[in-house]
Amino acid sequence: MTTGSPSPSRRPSLPGEGESKDLIPTRESLLSRLKDWEDRESWQDFFDTYWKLIYGMALKAGLSDAEAQEIVQETVISVARKIEGFRYDPAVCSFKSWMLQLTRWRIINQLKKRQREDGQRERFPKESDGTPVLDKIADPAGFDLEAIWEEEWQKNLLAEGLERVKRQVDPEQFQIFDLYCLEHWPAQKVASTLRVGLGRVYLAKHRVGRLLKKEIRRLEAKIL
């Protein structure tokens, strides 16, 4: 790369705009590769893995589509600038928590920018210890960004788990599970609509549900 930071060559497909990769928890090997700015493949892997998580969090924090896209770009660039100094130690700070902080700072800065543009200027000087007051205040606009991040993280885990299970079971069985457990249709409605017995509905719930829990546990075990 000539700029010294990752610059995705294309705008990612946003929700509803086409297919996109599901979240795959970052492995330590990928973190190591990210320290090489010239490793475009690893950076694209990272971008495809995390952009939906960052974008979804920004939207739920009240930002617009354009602002959320900007948050994604700024956060990825921030990772590029700081990844060399990141040391993976789950006992101290997981990569998940580190990413949360980087994204949180970007979102708060954007909300502050809005306040300034609305004429509601507020100063956030540094404390005597050098820590920005920004880091010590509550999330603005009443948003619990940590809770939003966790919600988006779990949503992406579920999406990836469902995608993996979908490849393991019969299409009809997955459709039954989808309608009964995800869409919350009554069991009788599922049975009559798909023309299957109630026993098939309950069996699909049990079998697919068990596989889904297993896949999510596997994914969680790989999260840094």
Side-chain angles (χ1 to χ4, degrees):
M1 297 184 185
T2 57
T3 61
S5 62
S7 177
S9 58
R10 59 180 174 80
R11 174 184 176 276
S13 297
L14 297 180
E17 295 183 348
E19 293 184 358
S20 58
K21 290 187 178 181
D22 293 303
L23 182 144
I24 305 172
T26 304
R27 296 169 295 281
E28 190 169 3
S29 60
L30 175 58
L31 298 186
S32 178
R33 296 197 304 274
L34 291 182
K35 295 183 179 182
D36 177 6
W37 288 343
E38 299 296 332
D39 191 341
R40 291 179 177 272
E41 182 177 351
S42 292
W43 273 107
Q44 192 63 57
D45 184 10
F46 168 79
F47 187 78
D48 289 342
T49 296
Y50 277 95
W51 80 263
K52 286 192 297 182
L53 183 64
I54 300 168
Y55 177 82
M57 178 180 178
L59 285 183
K60 287 193 174 181
L63 301 185
S64 67
D65 170 78
E67 290 172 327
Q69 290 183 44
E70 186 175 347
I71 294 298
V72 172
Q73 298 291 339
E74 290 179 352
T75 302
V76 171
I77 290 173
S78 183
V79 170
R81 290 173 175 168
K82 299 176 182 294
I83 190 66
E84 183 62 34
F86 178 77
R87 296 294 179 268
Y88 173 59
D89 184 352
V92 177
C93 179
S94 67
F95 187 77
K96 174 184 174 183
S97 298
W98 188 64
M99 282 289 297
L100 164 62
Q101 290 305 315
L102 293 181
T103 306
R104 178 178 179 273
W105 292 333
R106 302 283 80 73
I107 290 174
I108 291 178
N109 284 338
Q110 182 60 44
L111 292 172
K112 285 174 56 186
K113 180 181 178 181
R114 276 190 181 183
Q115 289 179 337
R116 289 195 298 269
E117 291 175 350
D118 291 341
Q120 301 175 2
R121 297 177 179 275
E122 296 184 14
R123 295 174 178 267
F124 293 94
K126 290 188 176 182
E127 294 282 356
S128 58
D129 63 358
T131 302
V133 174
L134 172 63
D135 295 354
K136 298 185 177 182
I137 63 173
D139 292 327
F143 292 108
D144 184 344
L145 296 182
E146 185 171 353
I148 293 174
W149 178 261
E150 184 62 30
E151 180 182 349
E152 288 298 301
W153 188 276
Q154 294 301 326
K155 184 175 73 174
N156 278 278
L157 275 181
L158 176 61
E160 174 64 12
L162 285 170
E163 186 61 31
R164 293 186 178 200
V165 169
K166 190 176 182 178
R167 297 193 292 264
Q168 300 176 39
V169 301
D170 179 84
E172 182 183 71
Q173 193 171 52
F174 186 84
Q175 184 179 25
I176 293 172
F177 177 83
D178 179 44
L179 293 177
Y180 184 42
C181 298
L182 303 181
E183 298 297 329
H184 305 293
W185 283 22
Q188 186 64 56
K189 180 180 178 180
V190 176
S192 61
T193 300
L194 300 182
R195 298 181 180 179
V196 298
L198 277 174
R200 291 280 298 279
V201 176
Y202 299 136
L203 179 63
K205 174 186 177 181
H206 172 72
R207 185 187 177 199
V208 179
R210 178 170 50 82
L211 289 174
L212 179 59
K213 290 179 181 178
K214 183 178 180 180
E215 288 299 336
I216 289 179
R217 283 196 299 269
R218 286 179 177 176
L219 290 169
E220 289 175 331
K222 295 179 181 178
I223 294 175
L224 298 184

